């Protein structure tokens, strides 16, 4: 019995080592520059066709609507703005993505409930259903987001 509990503890520790959260921050100038994004002096920088990778997770977005997903500068306050029907995709080079959590001041995405979703895939796409101003997105790898 002791061997069984030891095995369970080792297995749980191994899973915890592979679990990680990757945060994409869109309301911080230094973070945006670290992604290779040109920070706009005013208004926006279009991101359609742009990809960047943080800790093995790649961000990309597609223009479906007439307006590109963009980084917006409103008097020094930055956000990712995306519009109805546009998509954001996260792709993992390693372990599966288990969930997403979007922190925004307005807007919504079809796949999210209360700003969160669970999944189990190498690639996850979310679709904007109303204009969204996103401050950050957390991608959960090998762990699901905790619903509070």
């Amino acid at each position: 019995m002791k061997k069984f509990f030891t095995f369970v503890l080792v297995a749980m520790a191994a899973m915890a080592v592979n679990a990680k959260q990757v945060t994409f921050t869109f309301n911080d100038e230094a973070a945006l520059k670290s992604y290779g994004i040109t920070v706009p002096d005013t208004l926006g920088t279009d991101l359609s066709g742009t990809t960047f990778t943080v800790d093995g997770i790649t961000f990309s977005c597609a223009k479906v609507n007439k307006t590109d997903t963009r980084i917006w500068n409103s008097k020094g306050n930055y956000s990712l703005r995306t519009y109805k029907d546009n998509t954001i995709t996260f792709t993992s080079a390693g372990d599966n993505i288990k969930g997403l959590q979007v922190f925004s001041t307005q807007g919504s995405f079809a796949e999210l409930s209360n700003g969160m979703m669970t999944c189990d895939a190498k690639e996850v796409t979310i679709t904007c259903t109303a204009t969204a101003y996103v401050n950050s997105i957390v991608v959960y790898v090998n762990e699901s987001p905790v619903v509070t």
Side-chain angles (χ1 to χ4, degrees):
M1 188 68 139
K2 184 177 178 182
K3 287 182 182 180
F4 174 75
F5 286 119
T6 302
F7 172 77
V8 170
L9 287 174
V10 170
M12 289 174 59
M15 287 175 26
V17 168
N18 290 327
K20 68 179 178 180
Q21 298 174 13
V22 179
T23 302
F24 291 84
T25 303
F26 302 105
N27 62 352
D28 178 76
E29 185 173 352
L32 295 171
K33 287 180 178 179
S34 77
Y35 306 148
I37 296 172
T38 301
V39 178
D41 290 329
T42 59
L43 303 179
T45 297
D46 292 342
L47 293 183
S48 291
T50 300
T51 63
F52 53 90
T53 302
V54 176
D55 291 335
I57 304 296
T58 300
F59 167 99
S60 62
C61 56
K63 175 182 170 181
V64 177
N65 193 333
K66 63 182 179 176
T67 307
D68 287 307
T69 295
R70 57 185 57 160
I71 297 299
W72 194 259
N73 179 356
S74 177
K75 300 178 183 174
N77 296 308
Y78 302 102
S79 64
L80 175 76
R81 289 200 183 176
T82 190
Y83 303 89
K84 187 176 186 328
D85 298 327
N86 287 354
T87 61
I88 299 172
T89 300
F90 295 95
T91 306
S92 175
D95 295 319
N96 279 3
I97 296 169
K98 297 288 190 165
L100 297 175
Q101 187 170 15
V102 176
F103 296 91
S104 61
T105 57
Q106 78 171 50
S108 59
F109 295 86
E111 298 78 10
L112 305 181
S113 175
N114 295 320
M116 301 174 84
M117 73 175 287
T118 57
C119 53
D120 189 4
K122 293 275 187 200
E123 184 173 284
V124 177
T125 299
I126 56 175
T127 305
C128 186
T129 56
T131 300
Y133 301 172
V134 178
N135 292 322
S136 63
I137 300 174
V138 179
V139 179
Y140 294 84
V141 179
N142 273 348
E143 71 173 296
S144 296
V146 177
V147 180
T148 56

